[in-house]
Amino acid sequence: MGVIALDCDDLFATWREQARVLLGHGIDPSEITWNQGPMADLLAVPSALPAGPGPFRAKVPAQLLGQLELASRYRGEQRWNLLYEVLWRVAHGDRTAMLAGDRLGSELQRRIKQVTREAHHLHAFVRFVPLPEAVAGQLQLDLVAYHEPAHDVLQSASAHFADRLGKLRWLIATPQDGIRFDGAGFNYQRRCPAQWRQWARSAEDPGADLWRTYYRHTFNPARLNPDALRLHMPGRFWRHLPEGMLIPQLEGLARQGKQRDGQALEVAAQAGKKISKAGR
């Protein structure tokens, strides 16, 4: 018998219903796979779920469902299979599958950490561009942004901006999904409309040059730590930040010995004002 192949369309609610039926019928994790793109397993065969809920009634802690939902936003191999393996073990009395000391639990907790960190990155590195008044009136938007998150965090993490920006109308587009806020409610699209993506990518920030000037003049080569910089600001976000284009150049200047100045070149070149030494 081949492995049963299912598709939850990358929706946790759909996966949860499928997993409940599979669990009720006692179908082992080794007999199931969830498709992610073209089917790679030659032994997997598309199959419908068993009919009815099944005789087994599993009880799992509410904490587990929260962890599974959070981990489900992780994009990677075995995205849904791992969740079912954890669910299977916990449902059969082995709660160590939820813990970091366990093989499965360790991977589950790693994914949760990655998703949580990606939500933080979304809050930190989304750069909204204000639209001209005429365009804003036409599109019914005040701000647009384009972002490329590594995991599916846009829908869950975007409420942060509604609290932060008040009644301003904004849009965030990504290669996968998009979300729009009209000042009162959200419009989330799992497949980002091409028009939204075009608006976000073509908008020109009127304050970008001013911000780059400020960033360049306040850059301190003496305090540069490239490893810490990339830890807190991963390079994949640089191309969407106004200052991103400056970072490699400023790093290069620092490596060429400019750390001794302890300040940006433009500042170091200024004559300044001499202050006489106070007499004792």
Side-chain angles (χ1 to χ4, degrees):
M1 178 181 176
V3 176
I4 299 175
L6 299 173
D7 186 357
C8 64
D9 194 24
D10 285 341
L11 289 170
F12 179 75
T14 302
W15 172 88
R16 182 178 175 180
E17 290 301 318
Q18 293 173 341
R20 180 184 288 118
V21 173
L22 295 169
L23 199 61
H25 285 271
I27 299 180
D28 189 271
S30 62
E31 301 175 27
I32 305 294
T33 187
W34 274 268
N35 291 337
Q36 292 180 235
M39 191 179 300
D41 190 341
L42 296 179
L43 297 179
V45 292
S47 176
L49 287 171
F56 179 65
R57 294 291 184 269
K59 291 184 178 181
V60 297
Q63 178 188 3
L64 174 64
L65 294 179
Q67 291 183 343
L68 294 177
E69 195 280 331
L70 194 55
S72 73
R73 302 173 198 168
Y74 177 88
R75 296 179 195 152
E77 295 183 359
Q78 300 296 309
R79 176 175 181 175
W80 302 101
N81 291 59
L82 177 110
L83 303 187
Y84 186 63
E85 287 187 64
V86 173
L87 176 64
W88 173 272
R89 281 180 50 185
V90 174
H92 288 82
D94 184 4
R95 295 197 177 190
T96 60
M98 301 169 56
L99 305 179
D102 179 79
R103 178 185 65 83
L104 284 179
S106 175
E107 177 61 17
L108 177 71
Q109 297 303 323
R110 186 190 72 84
R111 295 185 182 192
I112 290 173
K113 184 176 180 180
Q114 289 291 317
V115 168
T116 303
R117 183 169 179 80
E118 196 63 25
H120 170 73
H121 286 157
L122 183 114
H123 297 159
F125 300 126
V126 160
R127 291 296 185 268
F128 286 104
V129 176
L131 295 175
E133 186 175 347
V135 178
Q138 179 184 1
L139 301 183
Q140 295 296 297
L141 284 170
D142 301 302
L143 307 167
V144 295
Y146 187 78
H147 189 66
E148 296 187 34
H151 305 294
D152 292 331
V153 298
L154 181 66
Q155 183 180 22
S156 59
S158 292
H160 164 85
F161 297 109
D163 295 334
R164 174 182 168 189
L165 299 173
K167 295 296 183 181
L168 287 176
R169 302 163 298 179
W170 49 263
L171 163 72
I172 303 174
T174 83
Q176 288 78 29
D177 51 2
I179 192 166
R180 181 171 182 165
F181 182 71
D182 63 4
F186 295 97
N187 177 11
Y188 174 73
Q189 298 289 328
R190 291 190 64 230
R191 307 288 184 264
C192 185
Q195 195 174 41
W196 287 14
R197 198 176 294 116
Q198 180 184 0
W199 294 344
R201 302 204 70 171
S202 62
E204 296 185 7
D205 187 351
D209 288 339
L210 180 61
W211 169 247
R212 282 191 286 266
T213 299
Y214 170 79
Y215 189 88
R216 187 171 61 250
H217 281 71
T218 57
F219 175 76
N220 187 342
R223 300 186 63 184
L224 176 66
N225 184 329
D227 293 335
L229 172 65
R230 283 166 173 77
L231 175 64
H232 297 288
M233 184 190 290
R236 60 190 170 94
F237 296 119
W238 292 2
R239 63 180 178 271
H240 300 309
L241 301 176
E243 69 274 21
M245 60 187 293
L246 298 176
I247 296 175
Q249 175 191 3
L250 295 174
E251 279 190 314
L253 291 174
R255 284 195 298 269
Q256 292 168 20
K258 302 303 180 184
Q259 283 100 335
R260 65 177 179 271
D261 293 332
Q263 54 193 330
L265 291 177
E266 291 87 346
V267 177
Q270 296 181 16
K273 180 181 179 180
K274 292 184 178 180
I275 301 176
S276 61
K277 186 176 181 180
R280 296 185 178 179

